[in-house]
Amino acid sequence: MAFTQTDNYTLHSYECDATGRISIPALMNLMQESANRNADDYGIGSSTLQAQGLGWMLMRFGLTMHQYPRSGQVIRIITYPTFVEKFFVYRDFRVLSDDDTLLASASSTWLVFDTAKRGIIPVPGFIRSLSPPDIADVSDKLPLKPAYQTLDFSETPTNQVTVGWFDIDANQHVNNVVYIRWLLEQLPDTILQTQEIAELDVVYKTETHWREQIDVQNQSTESGTFVHRLTHAETGKEVLLAKTVWRE
Amino acid sequence: MAFTQTDNYTLHSYECDATGRISIPALMNLMQESANRNADDYGIGSSTLQAQGLGWMLMRFGLTMHQYPRSGQVIRIITYPTFVEKFFVYRDFRVLSDDDTLLASASSTWLVFDTAKRGIIPVPGFIRSLSPPDIADVSDKLPLKPAYQTLDFSETPTNQVTVGWFDIDANQHVNNVVYIRWLLEQLPDTILQTQEIAELDVVYKTETHWREQIDVQNQSTESGTFVHRLTHAETGKEVLLAKTVWRE
């Protein structure tokens, strides 16, 4: 059986930012909610995996924003798996307005984590056998190692954040979306006030936990583009790399 | 015309904390969303007030948690105005599960702010004339000056937080709920991990803005009870006082 998840969400005012448009973290949370529901339909939801000592790990996420909905608007999120490979499961997202305008598109790449082995394992058979729906609108797989991830950050100023209680989810890991909030918060005031994200591309590298300290850095590599890096302050281990492209 | 707002919300996983139960900030956001919709029905929503140079200001909020819903559960929030006086408008909230169990009750007291005069004004006629619905379940008015607000904090340790971009709303003020997240984040680990809020009582004193520094303090006045104080770091002006009562 193939499943396509479709959810309608009325945007609440607190899901929008100071400009009244949906905030990227709020949109990503709603996408994740629909992805959870779709995984449940396939019998591969977090609780099923957890019962087997496994977990989903988001590795890559790529978002293109076409148009920003505002508080009170109803958006429709459609999500479905697109490909399954030995190590990776791919998932797409489409966000539409109630008149079917495409507001945003996203694709993502997921790994399966073995809790006892503390490492990635090949996608187990019960997941690997899933049938993606027969949909023409399928994004290309995101590159495993995008070019921006080799940028040197050794001389780049750092802000530090501490993982808070409300930043972690029921798996005791930092919610994937919280990192995006942190890296956006660090940007110059005028960017946040006068520009909007056109593209966001993320490489998730490792999990973090409550009370850990995270170093946040960014560099503007060209006009309207930032590369972001989050590292675990104590170990220096990379947590996340991302690129954002902005427009007026 | 009298209006009672009733909304059903399916709890998303990111609205729940590390224990899997709804987080208090997420619940307060959903309550605020329903309150906005009810105010819109009465023709006294934020945008109507804003067009007249006015704004709503939350002054008092009191919440009693009976039972915590979990991720995936549907909750029903009912809210309605209860009293209107010269300076104050009162609003109640009831939160029910889908089998009608009362999960939470809250009441609140609101003021009207004049943007040009930078001060509180008597409730204008078009608001004062509203008819609260004829409902038997009406909470007592919250006391204007609860006893805990005279506690001395001069020797109490302080954490500082900076107002972030995602902490402010479309009125460029910090969202009322964000303060509650900050004061909860400061509590000892064991309280957050092993206890839950039974009661929350808040006195809102002044607004704050993007990039401002806020000092956060708390004292445990008796076992299972904390009094919290937020002040504007630069001016020392009190932003908020609150009391939380916890249970195992």
Side-chain angles (χ1 to χ4, degrees):
Chain A
M1 278 282 281
F3 300 92
T4 298
Q5 183 71 25
T6 302
D7 293 300
N8 289 302
Y9 299 104
T10 302
L11 294 186
H12 302 168
S13 60
Y14 60 85
E15 292 171 325
C16 298
D17 67 15
T19 69
R21 292 173 302 195
I22 194 168
S23 82
I24 296 294
L27 177 60
M28 289 178 69
N29 271 328
L30 294 173
M31 287 179 169
Q32 181 58 53
E33 176 67 19
S34 291
N36 293 348
R37 295 178 187 181
N38 188 231
D40 284 340
D41 280 348
Y42 272 104
I44 57 170
S46 295
S47 52
T48 306
L49 267 66
Q50 208 172 355
Q52 304 187 40
L54 306 174
W56 284 112
M57 198 171 195
L58 179 59
M59 182 193 167
R60 296 281 286 114
F61 182 77
L63 170 69
T64 303
M65 292 299 298
H66 304 294
Q67 201 176 304
Y68 279 69
R70 302 183 75 87
S71 182
Q73 261 187 259
V74 176
I75 62 168
R76 187 158 78 258
I77 296 184
I78 302 172
T79 182
Y80 41 87
T82 53
F83 307 102
V84 186
E85 292 175 352
K86 183 172 182 192
F87 279 96
F88 306 116
V89 179
Y90 300 85
R91 168 177 294 286
D92 272 13
F93 300 87
R94 300 292 178 269
V95 185
L96 302 170
S97 68
D98 53 8
D99 67 357
D100 285 335
T101 305
L102 184 66
L103 304 174
S105 308
S107 61
S108 58
T109 310
W110 299 79
L111 295 163
V112 179
F113 188 83
D114 185 307
T115 316
K117 293 183 185 157
R118 309 292 314 149
I120 303 308
I121 58 164
V123 174
F126 76 101
I127 299 175
R128 205 154 171 198
S129 62
L130 74 76
S131 307
D134 185 19
I135 287 179
D137 186 10
V138 167
S139 305
D140 291 339
K141 297 169 191 172
L142 294 166
L144 288 187
K145 295 178 191 295
Y148 63 80
Q149 74 168 7
T150 57
L151 200 66
D152 178 20
F153 277 87
S154 55
E155 306 293 322
T156 310
T158 296
N159 291 140
Q160 202 166 79
V161 295
T162 304
V163 176
W165 177 251
F166 295 108
D167 299 328
I168 58 174
D169 60 24
N171 300 317
Q172 318 303 314
H173 295 141
V174 173
N175 173 346
N176 292 321
V177 176
V178 169
Y179 299 114
I180 308 305
R181 175 160 56 80
W182 289 335
L183 66 85
L184 293 176
E185 286 286 3
Q186 193 191 38
L187 290 173
D189 291 12
T190 51
I191 299 284
L192 294 170
Q193 286 180 300
T194 66
Q195 300 204 19
E196 63 182 26
I197 287 183
E199 287 168 45
L200 165 69
D201 188 275
V202 192
V203 183
Y204 289 95
K205 306 202 102 175
T206 192
E207 294 284 4
T208 61
H209 308 91
W210 191 25
R211 301 294 192 209
E212 290 176 354
Q213 311 275 318
I214 313 294
D215 286 335
V216 185
Q217 298 173 293
N218 74 66
Q219 292 180 52
S220 182
T221 50
E222 54 186 298
S223 174
T225 301
F226 288 85
V227 177
H228 311 264
R229 182 180 186 238
L230 273 64
T231 45
H232 195 272
E234 201 186 356
T235 62
K237 210 171 163 182
E238 280 185 343
V239 170
L240 175 152
L241 288 155
K243 187 173 95 164
T244 51
V245 179
W246 298 74
R247 64 178 167 229
E248 301 283 330
Chain B
M1 279 280 281
F3 301 91
T4 298
Q5 184 72 25
T6 302
D7 292 300
N8 289 303
Y9 299 105
T10 302
L11 295 186
H12 301 167
S13 59
Y14 60 87
E15 293 170 325
C16 298
D17 68 15
T19 71
R21 293 172 302 196
I22 193 167
S23 82
I24 296 294
L27 177 60
M28 291 178 67
N29 271 328
L30 293 174
M31 287 178 167
Q32 180 59 53
E33 177 66 21
S34 291
N36 293 347
R37 294 178 187 182
N38 188 231
D40 284 339
D41 280 348
Y42 272 105
I44 57 170
S46 295
S47 52
T48 306
L49 267 66
Q50 206 172 357
Q52 303 186 40
L54 306 174
W56 285 112
M57 200 171 192
L58 179 59
M59 182 195 168
R60 295 281 286 114
F61 182 76
L63 169 70
T64 304
M65 291 300 298
H66 305 294
Q67 201 176 303
Y68 280 69
R70 301 183 75 87
S71 180
Q73 260 185 262
V74 176
I75 62 169
R76 188 157 77 257
I77 295 184
I78 301 171
T79 182
Y80 40 87
T82 53
F83 307 103
V84 186
E85 292 175 351
K86 183 171 180 192
F87 278 97
F88 306 116
V89 179
Y90 301 85
R91 168 178 293 285
D92 272 11
F93 300 87
R94 300 292 178 267
V95 185
L96 303 169
S97 67
D98 52 8
D99 67 357
D100 285 335
T101 305
L102 184 66
L103 304 174
S105 307
S107 62
S108 59
T109 310
W110 297 80
L111 295 163
V112 179
F113 187 85
D114 185 307
T115 316
K117 292 182 185 157
R118 308 295 311 154
I120 303 307
I121 57 163
V123 174
F126 76 101
I127 299 175
R128 204 156 173 195
S129 62
L130 73 79
S131 308
D134 184 18
I135 287 179
D137 187 11
V138 167
S139 306
D140 291 340
K141 296 170 190 170
L142 293 166
L144 288 187
K145 293 178 193 292
Y148 65 79
Q149 72 167 7
T150 57
L151 200 66
D152 179 20
F153 277 87
S154 55
E155 306 293 323
T156 310
T158 296
N159 292 139
Q160 203 167 79
V161 294
T162 304
V163 176
W165 176 250
F166 295 108
D167 299 328
I168 57 173
D169 58 25
N171 299 318
Q172 318 303 314
H173 295 141
V174 173
N175 172 344
N176 291 322
V177 176
V178 169
Y179 299 115
I180 308 305
R181 175 162 55 82
W182 289 336
L183 66 84
L184 293 176
E185 285 286 3
Q186 193 192 36
L187 290 173
D189 290 13
T190 51
I191 298 284
L192 294 171
Q193 285 179 301
T194 66
Q195 300 203 20
E196 62 181 28
I197 287 183
E199 287 168 44
L200 165 69
D201 189 276
V202 191
V203 184
Y204 289 95
K205 307 202 102 175
T206 190
E207 293 284 3
T208 61
H209 308 91
W210 191 27
R211 301 295 192 208
E212 289 176 356
Q213 310 275 319
I214 313 294
D215 285 335
V216 185
Q217 298 172 292
N218 73 68
Q219 293 180 50
S220 182
T221 50
E222 56 187 300
S223 175
T225 301
F226 288 86
V227 177
H228 311 264
R229 181 180 186 240
L230 273 65
T231 47
H232 194 272
E234 201 187 355
T235 62
K237 209 170 166 182
E238 280 185 343
V239 170
L240 175 151
L241 288 154
K243 188 172 94 162
T244 51
V245 180
W246 297 74
R247 66 180 166 228
E248 301 282 332

